[in-house]
Amino acid sequence: ETGVTQTPRHLVMGMTNKKSLKCEQHLGHNAMYWYKQSAKKPLELMFVYNFKEQTENNSVPSRFSPECPNSSHLFLHLHTLQPEDSALYLCASSPPGLGVEKLFFGSGTQLSVL
Amino acid sequence: AQTVTQSQPEMSVQEAETVTLSCTYDTSESNYYLFWYKQPPSRQMILVIRQEAYKQQNATENRFSVNFQKAAKSFSLKISDSQLGDTAMYFCAFMRAFTGNQFYFGTGTSLTVIP
């Protein structure tokens, strides 16, 4: 158990639906991330938040909208998704400071877009 | 840009045997970190081992060890005495030092330990 919790574990949605993914950590980490994991592809970094401020947005379509209300919570709001957005969405966090660089991952949300 | 390549999509090993997973990376940086992450069927990725590029000594964690060849930009993972619980996807990852939180991952190697 890494201390990073994601909900829901599975999500099926139609292309016109609006849903949200939730990530939570109480590890005292200052950075939180959203990654997309598709088969046979490297993990794709979507968004990075440092101390609640978005510091990375890797050309992610606007149908994905992140929100970080505080350092412990991260959301990914989804609307009008496409079937190719079906994937495992992983949340991760990392601690502050040098010498401790590593990611702590959640179990992911398996998203299916119909 | 940094790239990480894992050329073995799938591997298998007999229980109690040793297996080596390959990883190469491309960077012009001299200070960086390398990682191996394990993703079991539960999907939660767990750090297996971490290597600082400035350290010549290869990292080890119990049955897991790496062969870090900086000049060749190679970072292989050796699993000794393989156990059924080692069955998982293994991802190699790279991070530049002192640049914040940008991690780069490979495509993964699916390892099956056969009883």
Side-chain angles (χ1 to χ4, degrees):
Chain A
E1 189 61 48
T2 64
V4 180
T5 304
Q6 285 187 248
T7 55
R9 187 167 173 80
H10 302 275
L11 179 62
V12 179
M13 59 187 289
M15 290 191 286
T16 58
N17 291 158
K18 289 185 180 180
K19 297 286 183 183
S20 296
L21 311 185
K22 180 182 177 183
C23 177
E24 188 172 352
Q25 59 89 9
H26 296 287
L27 302 168
H29 293 173
N30 64 299
M32 296 187 77
Y33 312 71
W34 281 115
Y35 280 90
K36 177 182 178 182
Q37 183 179 1
S38 305
K40 296 184 172 57
K41 288 185 177 181
L43 264 69
E44 298 175 47
L45 178 63
M46 301 175 72
F47 301 104
V48 181
Y49 278 82
N50 279 286
F51 296 104
K52 303 189 298 178
E53 298 297 320
Q54 189 180 127
T55 55
E56 291 279 345
N57 177 342
N58 282 355
S59 304
V60 180
S62 60
R63 57 186 184 270
F64 294 91
S65 175
E67 179 189 0
C68 189
N70 53 62
S71 294
S72 299
H73 294 86
L74 184 65
F75 296 88
L76 187 63
H77 304 299
L78 317 171
H79 63 97
T80 60
L81 294 191
Q82 305 298 308
E84 60 264 30
D85 296 324
S86 298
L88 180 66
Y89 288 85
L90 292 167
C91 173
S93 67
S94 63
L98 297 176
V100 291
E101 295 83 351
K102 57 183 173 182
L103 292 172
F104 293 72
F105 284 91
S107 298
T109 294
Q110 185 66 55
L111 174 66
S112 297
V113 181
L114 305 178
Chain B
Q2 275 62 227
T3 58
V4 178
T5 302
Q6 293 180 251
S7 58
Q8 305 151 315
E10 296 180 0
M11 295 189 71
S12 62
V13 62
Q14 290 290 140
E15 195 175 3
E17 296 295 309
T18 296
V19 64
T20 299
L21 310 183
S22 301
C23 173
T24 58
Y25 57 94
D26 186 22
T27 185
S28 57
E29 303 289 331
S30 56
N31 292 318
Y32 50 87
Y33 302 92
L34 295 164
F35 309 83
W36 278 99
Y37 277 88
K38 169 186 176 181
Q39 186 180 41
S42 66
R43 303 186 326 211
Q44 190 160 50
M45 281 217 268
I46 302 165
L47 179 65
V48 175
I49 200 162
R50 177 177 179 270
Q51 174 83 42
E52 292 91 340
Y54 64 86
K55 288 188 178 178
Q56 292 186 332
Q57 186 173 8
N58 289 325
T60 62
E61 288 287 342
N62 301 312
R63 297 182 295 108
F64 300 88
S65 62
V66 297
N67 183 3
F68 173 46
Q69 302 289 326
K70 192 171 183 179
K73 296 180 183 174
S74 171
F75 183 62
S76 60
L77 175 70
K78 185 171 84 171
I79 306 175
S80 304
D81 185 26
S82 296
Q83 301 176 358
L84 297 178
D86 295 333
T87 293
M89 282 288 289
Y90 287 82
F91 291 92
C92 179
F94 168 100
M95 194 198 98
R96 290 186 298 166
F98 313 119
T99 56
N101 321 108
Q102 186 72 275
F103 290 76
Y104 299 86
F105 286 83
T107 51
T109 296
S110 177
L111 176 68
T112 301
V113 179
I114 302 166

